[in-house]
Amino acid sequence: MREAEVIVSDTDLEAMGVDGLLSLAREAGLLTVEELACRGNGAVLQVELETKIDEERLTVLECVDEWNRVVERDDSHVYVISFTAPELPEGLEETAADLVGTCDPVVDDGGATMSVVGPHDAISGQIGEYERAGVSPTLQRIGGYEGPEYPLDELTARQREVIETAWEMGYYEVPKEVSANDIAAEMDLDSSTVNEHLQRAERNLLGQFL
């Protein structure tokens, strides 16, 4: 397993069509970003902000698929945001399939720096696909990887299945589009079982970041 440190400039983020999302996050005082899932041309991010984001503007952004405010404190707000970069080809999903994901993304005034983790050929293929799409990430270094494989690896298979089903059905929408009973019916489980899996999954995920 290899890890490549890659820098994506603000210009590149604009070319990808996600600059509006980054702008909103910066306006709200961006503290941390954690990738929960990667789809090649999009991702699911957990974003911690100093203040509440402009949720009306967030909702109408072309690149944002879904979002949910999961934690609200006096000094910070945590959101889970699913986005798809409209200017990137869907084929990036195929080249991203062999990647573990990106780790510890850091966003500053000039863009984003992240670690892309996976086999060497998969990393090279992903960077090549970005370049063919008109995005030119800068490869800072590449070397061995010894960190955790993936945030969702902290979940059991059943917890992951339940929380992914809940997300896809709109359980984390504001307001919620479905209840635990709806998820239970979809998965042929008791609602008490679904609630337990959701609570344990949420605790395991948030425990990695809070």
Side-chain angles (χ1 to χ4, degrees):
M1 193 71 68
R2 308 288 282 175
E3 178 180 11
E5 184 176 291
V6 176
I7 296 176
V8 182
S9 70
D10 274 359
T11 301
D12 288 327
L13 293 170
E14 182 177 359
M16 293 164 60
V18 298
D19 52 311
L21 176 57
L22 178 58
S23 177
L24 283 182
R26 284 172 170 163
E27 288 176 12
L30 182 60
L31 297 174
T32 63
V33 180
E34 181 74 26
E35 183 183 82
L36 302 180
C38 177
R39 299 190 302 271
N41 64 337
V44 179
L45 304 177
Q46 179 173 277
V47 182
E48 184 178 8
L49 308 167
E50 292 179 352
T51 62
K52 188 181 296 185
I53 201 168
D54 188 329
E55 296 177 351
E56 290 186 5
R57 290 166 62 195
L58 179 66
T59 300
V60 299
L61 283 177
E62 179 186 2
C63 65
V64 173
D65 303 316
E66 299 178 79
W67 65 268
N68 187 49
R69 178 164 20 96
V70 295
V71 177
E72 185 170 357
R73 295 186 290 259
D74 290 339
D75 59 349
S76 67
H77 301 260
V78 178
Y79 289 80
V80 173
I81 301 172
S82 173
F83 76 91
T84 301
E87 303 303 324
L88 290 180
E90 294 182 2
L92 275 169
E93 291 190 43
E94 297 181 10
T95 59
D98 292 329
L99 294 175
V100 172
T102 58
C103 304
D104 303 324
V106 176
V107 179
D108 56 28
D109 292 338
T113 301
M114 63 194 73
S115 297
V116 182
V117 179
H120 189 278
D121 289 347
I123 292 174
S124 298
Q126 185 78 347
I127 292 175
E129 287 295 324
Y130 274 97
E131 291 174 342
R132 281 187 283 276
V135 179
S136 302
T138 301
L139 179 62
Q140 290 290 95
R141 66 173 183 82
I142 187 166
Y145 175 69
E146 299 178 354
E149 291 290 294
Y150 204 63
L152 293 182
D153 285 345
E154 295 297 317
L155 307 184
T156 66
R158 178 59 90 178
Q159 287 172 2
R160 180 168 179 168
E161 182 183 9
V162 171
I163 202 168
E164 287 179 343
T165 301
W167 177 266
E168 291 167 0
M169 292 181 66
Y171 181 77
Y172 292 103
E173 286 293 296
V174 181
K176 291 180 179 178
E177 296 179 353
V178 296
S179 67
N181 288 336
D182 296 321
I183 299 167
E186 174 71 19
M187 302 186 69
D188 196 23
L189 297 171
D190 291 335
S191 60
S192 60
T193 300
V194 167
N195 277 316
E196 180 179 354
H197 283 309
L198 287 175
Q199 290 171 6
R200 290 182 181 275
E202 291 163 358
R203 184 179 185 279
N204 288 342
L205 287 173
L206 291 174
Q208 298 179 68
F209 313 116
L210 302 181

